[in-house]
Amino acid sequence: MTTSASLKLLAALAECQLHAEVLSDAAHSLPAHFEAADVVNITADVRRTLDQLAYRFMKLQDALGEKVLPGLLVATLDSLPPHATFAEKLQRLERLGALPSADAWRLLREVRNGLAHEYPENPALQAAALTRLLGGARELIAVWRAVRTFVDTRLNLGPP
């Protein structure tokens, strides 16, 4: 791995760490489950926290998917051809032990895609979507921790 690629990966890891910390803080300050009544009576503080949660969820997933995961393939010298699909890259990372589950990553993408739908006329659907987002945030943080553990135990990148 070149010094430039190593530095890029280290910068991406630092970015992910920031997003994961803020995401974790936001998730821990919210209830584990939302009901329709919670959505109807949502406070401005909870709305701001949910906005932060959604934003950091997207940023962490983007940084992992666009920077860290491809960088891990380069760092392990197990890169795929340029025409390889993202699904193929995820499967390779799972086999290497860098990613807990390629299928879990795909489910996290579904959670992210669900953020675009607000269901203003249906508080029960909103509550279900918020609960799913919270579960997805916890899962994404677990993925991040697994990636970080892989980096710390299997790659020699130097100081962060």
Side-chain angles (χ1 to χ4, degrees):
M1 180 173 212
T2 67
T3 301
S4 173
S6 180
L7 290 174
K8 281 183 181 179
L9 182 55
L10 286 169
L13 291 166
E15 177 185 348
C16 286
Q17 182 63 40
L18 171 66
H19 295 314
E21 287 172 5
V22 177
L23 181 63
S24 181
D25 288 346
H28 284 97
S29 69
L30 292 167
H33 181 79
F34 281 89
E35 299 290 336
D38 299 324
V39 172
V40 171
N41 300 310
I42 199 163
T43 66
D45 285 341
V46 170
R47 186 177 314 281
R48 277 190 291 276
T49 302
L50 286 167
D51 286 348
Q52 183 72 298
L53 184 87
Y55 175 75
R56 294 300 178 159
F57 181 92
M58 291 186 292
K59 294 297 283 184
L60 179 56
Q61 193 173 45
D62 285 349
L64 279 168
E66 295 171 8
K67 300 172 185 174
V68 172
L69 298 180
L72 292 180
L73 288 172
V74 171
T76 60
L77 303 176
D78 200 6
S79 58
L80 293 164
H83 64 276
T85 66
F86 193 68
E88 291 170 318
K89 293 174 184 178
L90 291 175
Q91 290 167 351
R92 177 71 57 90
L93 288 163
E94 182 180 2
R95 280 194 300 275
L96 290 170
L99 189 65
S101 167
D103 289 335
W105 184 266
R106 285 189 276 279
L107 291 175
L108 290 169
R109 289 303 294 182
E110 290 176 17
V111 170
R112 182 198 172 116
N113 292 341
L115 293 175
H117 307 290
E118 293 191 16
Y119 312 107
E121 71 292 339
N122 193 329
L125 282 177
Q126 282 181 307
L130 292 175
T131 298
R132 188 170 185 219
L133 173 59
L134 280 165
R138 290 182 184 97
E139 177 67 26
L140 185 57
I141 291 166
V143 168
W144 159 246
R145 288 182 180 141
V147 167
R148 188 70 236 196
T149 297
F150 177 84
V151 168
D152 292 343
T153 59
R154 304 267 307 270
L155 301 180
N156 183 18
L157 295 178

